Amino acid sequence: MRRTLYKPLGFIFLAIGLVGVLLPVLPTTPFLLVSAWFFSRSSEKWHQWLLRNELFGPPIRNWEENRCISARTKLVALLAMLGAGTASIVFAVEVQWLRYLAIGMMTLGCITVVSIPTCPPRD
């Protein structure tokens, strides 16, 4: 049952994470971490594929081994979120209460990213 449910969920979250690579308003790392969690419990092959991937492997390994994200990952996440969010609020959202909602969501996202421990720099 677990494998039957977790493996497809791993692929769904992996797909969402891959879309996040292209769309700055959609975060990538959290979806990849969830995907890795599902694969670690259902498919060693796909879990290892994620860990060996040049782009996705380092943040997943950092999280699995140390429960931290790199300063670079934090910076990219914050800049992408603020840049895309601000552009959306200024150019795409016309309803005032939706602008406030978007600002609140961006604030919550920034607080979340900043509150996650930062990995120590590697030598």
Side-chain angles (χ1 to χ4, degrees), residues 6-68:
Y6 284 7
K7 191 172 181 181
L9 286 171
F11 284 115
I12 289 168
F13 283 101
L14 176 60
I16 295 170
L18 292 174
V19 170
V21 171
L22 304 172
L23 299 175
V25 294
L26 185 66
T28 301
T29 304
F31 292 108
L32 292 176
L33 293 175
V34 172
S35 176
W37 186 87
F38 280 119
F39 284 143
S40 73
R41 284 152 180 78
S42 64
S43 173
E44 186 61 27
K45 173 186 168 186
W46 282 99
H47 185 243
Q48 288 304 314
W49 179 84
L50 277 176
L51 291 174
R52 285 191 306 265
N53 185 284
E54 285 183 33
L55 182 62
F56 307 136
I60 293 170
R61 281 192 304 276
N62 275 341
W63 183 255
E64 287 185 353
E65 294 169 7
N66 306 308
R67 292 293 190 251
C68 63

